[in-house]
């Protein structure tokens, strides 16, 4: 998050620990021990121990069924809020080995990013968030939420600037919040939870709590702390894509207003959302694509993504959707 956005994959954390975040010699043995434990002992670590159960809300539909209504004005009011700003390693946000990136000589550097939450208001279902922004409590007391000194340093946490705390956004809604539609469970997408009610339903894609990798060692504790005391996460009931459909789709409320798209790659359960708003259709791409340059050039994320090949497929499907619907406004994971 922030200057390294909490979306750091363990691969990037390892690079930070060995290079840019190198501690005095007296403390290096501790970091080396963490690295060895991750590599040798925790190959099967899950991102969180928090429970997840299947959600019944949402109607599986075909891609054509979604697209048939996509260009019709819808009932959703949408407000996208930049909760915080910071920087992150470009090598995590973009695959710098992609031919398009190599052709222009892109090199790793700190890249400006934003951390968003999206407020959606449905005329009968009420208000929901897509992702959570950043809570003031997390900035003030990161250790209370599992962000230890190593994690904060590796993620350049101290360089993050808070602009619109999640709690302030919630208080401005003028109505109760009904739930949060998560794009995935990386920490920078959970970082507003300290400001949100404990009983609030949280929806996410299947496999988000069970995808196992040694890199989850670094974030497991923080994920558990942020989710502590909350009911089980609710897993979207995606079915396999129909026919030639590139991705699985759910009609979230059953009225063609909000669609959830399973876009695996960045994480196993990564989910994008297509909204039919009063101002036209909007795609919330999540971290299937972090940056404007990546979207414009069709370049998938780099180190932060678990399965690059699946991420490429998901990104190509979203770009093809946008090309068929020129009025579709696209909002990316961490840049306008």
């Amino acid at each position: 998050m922030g200057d390294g956005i909490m979306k750091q994959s363990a691969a990037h954390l390892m690079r930070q620990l060995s290079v840019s975040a190198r501690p005095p010699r007296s403390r290096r043995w501790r970091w080396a021990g963490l690295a060895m434990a991750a590599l040798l002992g925790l190959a099967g670590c899950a991102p969180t121990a928090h429970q997840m159960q299947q959600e019944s809300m949402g109607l599986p539909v075909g891609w054509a069924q979604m697209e048939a209504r996509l260009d019709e004005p819808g009932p959703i009011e949408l407000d996208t809020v930049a909760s915080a700003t910071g920087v992150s390693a470009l090598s995590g946000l973009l695959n710098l080995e992609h031919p398009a990136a190599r052709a222009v000589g892109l090199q790793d550097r700190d890249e400006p990013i934003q951390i968003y939450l999206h407020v959606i208001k449905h005329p009968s279902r009420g208000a929901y968030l897509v992702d959570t922004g950043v809570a003031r409590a997390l900035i003030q007391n990161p250790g209370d939420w599992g962000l230890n000194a190593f994690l904060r340093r590796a993620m350049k946490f101290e360089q993050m600037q808070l602009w619109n705390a999640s709690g302030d956004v919630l208080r401005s809604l003028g109505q109760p919040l009904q739930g949060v539609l998560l794009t995935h469970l990386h920490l920078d997408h959970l970082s507003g939870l300290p400001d949100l009610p404990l009983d609030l339903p949280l929806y996410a894609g299947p496999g988000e709590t069970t995808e196992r990798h040694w890199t989850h060692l670094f974030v497991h504790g923080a994920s558990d702390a942020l989710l502590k005391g909350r009911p089980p996460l609710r897993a979207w009931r995606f079915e396999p894509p129909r026919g030639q459909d590139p991705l699985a789709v759910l009609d979230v409320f059953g009225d063609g207003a909000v669609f959830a798209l399973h876009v695996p790659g960045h994480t196993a359960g990564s989910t994008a959302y297509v909204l039919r708003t009063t101002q036209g259709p909007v795609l919330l791409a999540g971290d299937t694509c972090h940056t404007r340059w990546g979207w414009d050039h069709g370049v998938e994320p780099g180190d932060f993504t678990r399965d690059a090949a699946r991420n490429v497929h998901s990104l190509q499907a979203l770009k093809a959707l946008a090309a068929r619907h020129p009025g579709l406004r696209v909002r990316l994971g961490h840049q306008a």
Side-chain angles (χ1 to χ4, degrees):
M1 190 179 75
D3 224 324
I5 203 169
M6 283 173 137
K7 178 166 276 267
Q8 307 281 358
S9 68
H12 185 62
L13 288 175
M14 292 294 291
R15 185 169 64 250
Q16 291 284 358
L17 108 81
S18 63
V19 184
S20 64
R22 181 172 294 165
R25 183 179 299 273
S26 62
R27 295 203 304 271
R28 287 182 195 166
W29 68 269
R30 290 183 232 164
W31 289 23
L34 284 174
M36 187 62 67
L39 289 169
L40 299 180
L42 291 170
C45 184
T48 176
H50 200 77
Q51 295 298 305
M52 194 175 212
Q53 63 187 28
Q54 191 172 70
E55 171 56 32
S56 60
M57 184 172 72
L59 176 67
V61 296
W63 196 260
Q65 189 175 344
M66 176 187 70
E67 289 200 61
R69 303 191 62 184
L70 193 55
D71 297 320
E72 302 173 5
I76 298 297
E77 295 180 13
L78 171 67
D79 184 21
T80 293
V81 179
S83 186
T85 58
V87 300
S88 189
L90 188 63
S91 58
L93 301 170
L94 279 173
N95 175 14
L96 298 182
E97 298 304 312
H98 190 284
R102 293 174 66 89
V104 296
L106 286 183
Q107 300 292 320
D108 199 11
R109 63 171 187 264
D110 283 345
E111 177 75 4
I113 53 93
Q114 293 82 45
I115 300 175
Y116 296 109
L117 73 161
H118 309 274
V119 180
I120 64 176
K121 294 181 179 179
H122 187 284
S124 63
R125 297 298 190 110
Y128 287 76
L129 299 183
V130 175
D131 291 332
T132 68
V134 179
R136 183 170 282 108
L138 187 77
I139 301 299
Q140 294 173 341
N141 299 293
D144 291 349
W145 305 98
L147 299 187
N148 57 43
F150 166 69
L151 193 56
R152 297 198 301 271
R153 179 167 182 167
M155 296 176 179
K156 307 177 187 177
F157 180 85
E158 73 286 350
Q159 298 184 45
M160 189 179 67
Q161 292 185 309
L162 183 66
W163 296 102
N164 297 286
S166 306
D168 294 339
V169 175
L170 189 60
R171 284 185 287 273
S172 72
L173 284 181
Q175 59 181 297
L177 193 62
Q178 302 301 315
V180 178
L181 315 181
L182 292 164
T183 59
H184 61 295
L185 293 186
H186 280 170
L187 295 183
D188 52 318
H189 295 257
L190 300 177
S191 53
L193 287 179
D195 278 355
L196 304 183
L198 277 177
D199 60 352
L200 197 64
L202 305 177
Y203 304 85
E208 280 296 285
T209 61
T210 57
E211 184 178 37
R212 307 184 76 82
H213 198 271
W214 67 268
T215 59
H216 295 148
L217 165 70
F218 296 96
V219 297
H220 184 100
S223 298
D224 283 354
L226 287 165
L227 292 166
K228 184 178 180 180
R230 296 183 179 276
L233 294 160
R234 303 184 179 194
W236 292 125
R237 186 170 41 93
F238 290 116
E239 295 181 352
R242 302 180 179 185
Q244 299 301 310
D245 289 357
L247 303 169
V249 181
L250 283 179
D251 183 341
V252 172
F253 300 122
D255 62 357
V258 176
F259 297 95
L261 282 62
H262 189 202
V263 287
H266 184 65
T267 62
S270 284
T271 304
Y273 296 92
V274 171
L275 318 175
R276 289 178 49 243
T277 81
T278 57
Q279 304 300 312
V282 177
L283 167 64
L284 304 180
D287 285 359
T288 301
C289 186
H290 298 293
T291 66
R292 173 63 186 270
W293 195 93
W295 178 266
D296 288 346
H297 295 84
V299 177
E300 73 282 2
D303 292 343
F304 298 154
T305 281
R306 180 68 59 240
D307 187 326
R310 296 184 83 189
N311 200 149
V312 169
H313 173 79
S314 294
L315 176 58
Q316 289 174 344
L318 295 185
K319 283 183 63 66
L321 177 67
R324 290 193 298 273
H325 299 270
L328 180 67
R329 289 172 290 157
V330 179
R331 299 187 180 174
L332 305 172
H334 291 291
Q335 285 185 350

